[in-house]
Amino acid sequence: MKNDKNFDWSSLNDKVEDILGRHFWNDLHDILPKRFPNIDLYQTDTEGIVVMEIPGLMSSSDVQIRLESNNLIIQGEIPYPYPYPKKQLPMQERYTGKFERSIRLPFHYLESSVTAKYRAGLLEVRVQKDPQKQTIPISFEADIEDEDLD
């Protein structure tokens, strides 16, 4: 499989389930660290857009956004939604509690042009790209040998 560049990764889930049983993914889910929240990052010619799944936020004070160098950092806390203690949940897959994600932006941006909105469990952050390209002038100095030839 290492050297097979045409391996069909989409069928891996079914193959693992056939070999290890249908409960494998549920058991694995309980022991692997959670990478939360899930994000998509896409860009146009003028901006980068980060879409983050954060269900359950109640107000803007539940989430904070900041820029550090070329990283967009989003942190917050998803409140526990039930009137019962966690120990009464025989299964809990939905994430609650504190979270933080750092997303490296693959472009330069304008700090003053960052906007965010939250709707239907999705946080959308728009970051305007810095449109200016910097051209660096190169000065050529005559070589000493060239000056001696004159």
Side-chain angles (χ1 to χ4, degrees):
M1 185 165 42
K2 279 185 180 179
N3 295 327
D4 186 3
K5 294 179 182 178
N6 296 320
F7 182 75
D8 181 16
W9 289 100
S10 63
S11 66
L12 184 63
N13 186 16
D14 294 333
K15 289 177 183 176
V16 169
E17 192 170 298
D18 289 344
I19 295 168
L20 299 175
R22 63 187 179 107
H23 297 290
F24 171 76
W25 293 116
N26 287 338
D27 295 341
L28 190 62
H29 182 285
D30 292 338
I31 60 171
L32 288 178
K34 312 298 184 275
R35 187 170 160 197
F36 182 84
N38 295 321
I39 64 161
D40 289 331
L41 168 63
Y42 62 97
Q43 56 184 323
T44 67
D45 291 339
T46 59
E47 67 182 347
I49 299 102
V50 173
V51 179
M52 180 178 278
E53 292 179 346
I54 317 177
L57 296 182
M58 301 297 183
S59 74
S60 61
S61 64
D62 291 336
V63 64
Q64 296 81 43
I65 302 169
R66 70 182 189 276
L67 288 165
E68 291 181 6
S69 296
N70 257 32
N71 293 309
L72 177 70
I73 300 166
I74 303 172
Q75 66 184 32
E77 185 167 1
I78 297 174
Y80 183 73
Y82 306 114
Y84 309 104
K86 285 186 178 185
K87 65 183 179 183
Q88 287 185 282
L89 295 176
M91 178 185 287
Q92 182 185 10
E93 292 183 355
R94 296 178 55 217
Y95 186 87
T96 59
K98 293 183 178 187
F99 66 87
E100 181 173 324
R101 281 297 300 266
S102 179
I103 301 115
R104 181 153 175 74
L105 300 175
F107 52 83
H108 296 286
Y109 57 85
L110 298 171
E111 285 188 42
S112 60
S113 299
V114 179
T115 61
K117 68 179 178 180
Y118 181 78
R119 186 172 146 229
L122 297 174
L123 177 66
E124 180 184 274
V125 181
R126 293 181 171 265
V127 181
Q128 294 295 317
K129 290 182 176 180
D130 188 351
Q132 62 181 331
K133 294 181 182 177
Q134 184 178 5
T135 304
I136 300 171
I138 301 171
S139 64
F140 278 83
E141 297 179 9
D143 289 338
I144 296 174
E145 293 175 13
D146 290 342
E147 290 177 4
D148 291 339
L149 293 175
D150 290 334

